[in-house]
Amino acid sequence: MSRAIFVENLKKAYGEKLAVNNISFEVNEGEIFGFLGPNGAGKTTTIRMMIGNLVPNSGNIELLGKSMPGQREEIKEFMGVVPDNQNLYDRLTVRQNLAFFAQLHESPPERIDELIKLLDLEAHKDVQTQNLSRGLRQRTLIARALIHRPKIFFLDEPTSALDPQSALSIRNLISSLKKEGTTVFITTHYMEEADILCDRIAVMHNGKIVATDTPETLKLQHGRRTVKITWQTNESKVNEETELLFSDKDTPTKIAQLMGEKNIMKIHSQEATLEKVFLNLTGDSLKKEDSGIE
């Protein structure tokens, strides 16, 4: 499988604060790669270096074999970016926003209509983007970033603060891009979203990558699989429960003992979640840190 993204020994400091601390990773062509971490971990700084908006202090970045920032103009031709801020031209309509960027990329006019249909924007194509909901603005941003059929697509928090229907629409689109062979690099705070969408993920914390693998492998390596047993006491009719580890050799004996002694109501296996893995790896919640660096 060919390599779409190659990052090696990447560093970026703001004064004495090392925001990105000697990180390395690879992304394969046609892969959906998730980049996870609490705000302040260095994710956005890394993306800004990868798309050429920031110059690293040291390290190498290659996109489809071309060096960033040295070959930035060439890379821009096959790279699409949806930033975390919705930077549309508010006084222009959806169609006018897309037409402007189609001209910049010398994309054919029919590409505009294709994307308006794909992103379900037909009913809003002649509305100024300042009058759109956040979900519709996000869809317009994605359409704009796809106008030139990019081979590598960067999305920074694409479903943040969206309603469930808009978020589902965008997740479905991301999955369809993978089927077309597009490499997708995504940051998200929604662990369930990363679990569903991503082929592999990297977890970043305090400027370093602390784990990289498939969601399933990370859950097996760093999560806890348990059995939760709920029973009802005969005296008070109150439900009580206990949680037993799959990995504990005494668990089968304990389950058999409880079934013999208690009025069992429910037995459920509890699989490890990506959110629990994230917390185990970083020791952090998904709340914004106070470092001032993203």
Side-chain angles (χ1 to χ4, degrees), residues 39-254:
N39 286 336
K43 305 186 309 297
T44 300
T45 297
T46 301
I47 289 181
R48 287 174 180 165
M49 288 188 283
M50 293 171 69
I51 65 176
N53 288 351
L54 277 178
V55 178
N57 295 115
S58 61
N60 300 314
I61 302 170
E62 291 182 8
L63 304 181
L64 293 179
K66 298 187 183 296
S67 177
M68 179 67 86
Q71 296 175 279
R72 181 183 179 187
E73 292 306 311
E74 295 176 55
I75 290 172
K76 282 168 61 177
E77 295 304 312
F78 59 74
M79 179 178 67
V81 180
V82 179
D84 58 350
N85 60 314
Q86 296 189 329
N87 58 346
L88 294 164
Y89 293 109
D90 283 345
R91 294 184 182 180
L92 298 183
T93 65
V94 170
R95 175 179 283 280
Q96 288 169 338
N97 266 276
L98 298 183
F100 177 71
F101 280 86
Q103 282 187 316
L104 289 179
H105 290 285
E106 299 181 350
S107 298
E110 54 267 26
R111 179 62 172 163
I112 299 169
D113 294 320
E114 180 184 340
L115 287 168
I116 285 174
K117 184 176 181 179
L118 179 66
L119 274 300
D120 196 20
L121 290 166
E122 291 175 293
H124 313 279
K125 62 186 178 183
D126 297 318
V127 177
Q128 289 182 334
T129 56
Q130 65 184 349
N131 297 321
L132 296 177
S133 68
R134 182 175 178 85
L136 289 170
R137 287 172 63 86
Q138 189 73 348
R139 279 191 253 166
T140 303
L141 278 168
I142 292 174
R144 186 185 75 182
L146 292 173
I147 201 77
H148 57 305
R149 301 182 187 275
K151 296 179 181 178
I152 300 178
F153 197 40
F154 291 92
L155 298 106
D156 197 359
E157 301 290 344
T159 61
S160 177
L162 297 188
D163 64 86
Q165 184 175 357
S166 295
L168 178 61
S169 175
I170 289 172
R171 289 178 193 132
N172 289 339
L173 173 68
I174 292 170
S175 295
S176 71
L177 290 173
K178 171 185 167 63
K179 292 176 183 177
E180 295 173 5
T182 305
T183 303
V184 180
F185 189 97
I186 180 173
T187 71
T188 180
H189 278 163
Y190 301 123
M191 295 297 106
E192 184 179 357
E193 179 172 85
D195 201 355
I196 293 169
L197 285 177
C198 297
D199 298 301
R200 289 189 304 131
I201 62 172
V203 180
M204 195 169 186
H205 183 55
N206 290 336
K208 296 182 179 181
I209 291 178
V210 295
T212 306
D213 218 315
T214 66
E216 192 62 31
T217 299
L218 289 175
K219 285 187 288 185
L220 289 172
Q221 289 178 345
H222 302 281
R224 296 171 73 249
R225 297 177 67 228
T226 64
V227 178
K228 183 178 283 187
I229 303 174
T230 305
W231 66 88
Q232 191 177 73
T233 61
N234 292 327
E235 299 81 13
S236 60
K237 303 297 183 183
V238 174
N239 286 349
E240 296 184 14
E241 64 182 26
T242 189
E243 201 166 355
L244 304 173
L245 287 173
F246 266 95
S247 56
D248 188 342
K249 62 179 176 39
D250 294 328
T251 290
T253 302
K254 292 177 181 177

Side-chain angles (χ1 to χ4, degrees), residues 10 18-23 40-42 204-209:
L10 193 64
L18 195 57
V20 176
N21 187 2
N22 198 40
I23 66 170
M204 195 169 186
H205 183 55
N206 290 336
K208 296 182 179 181
I209 291 178

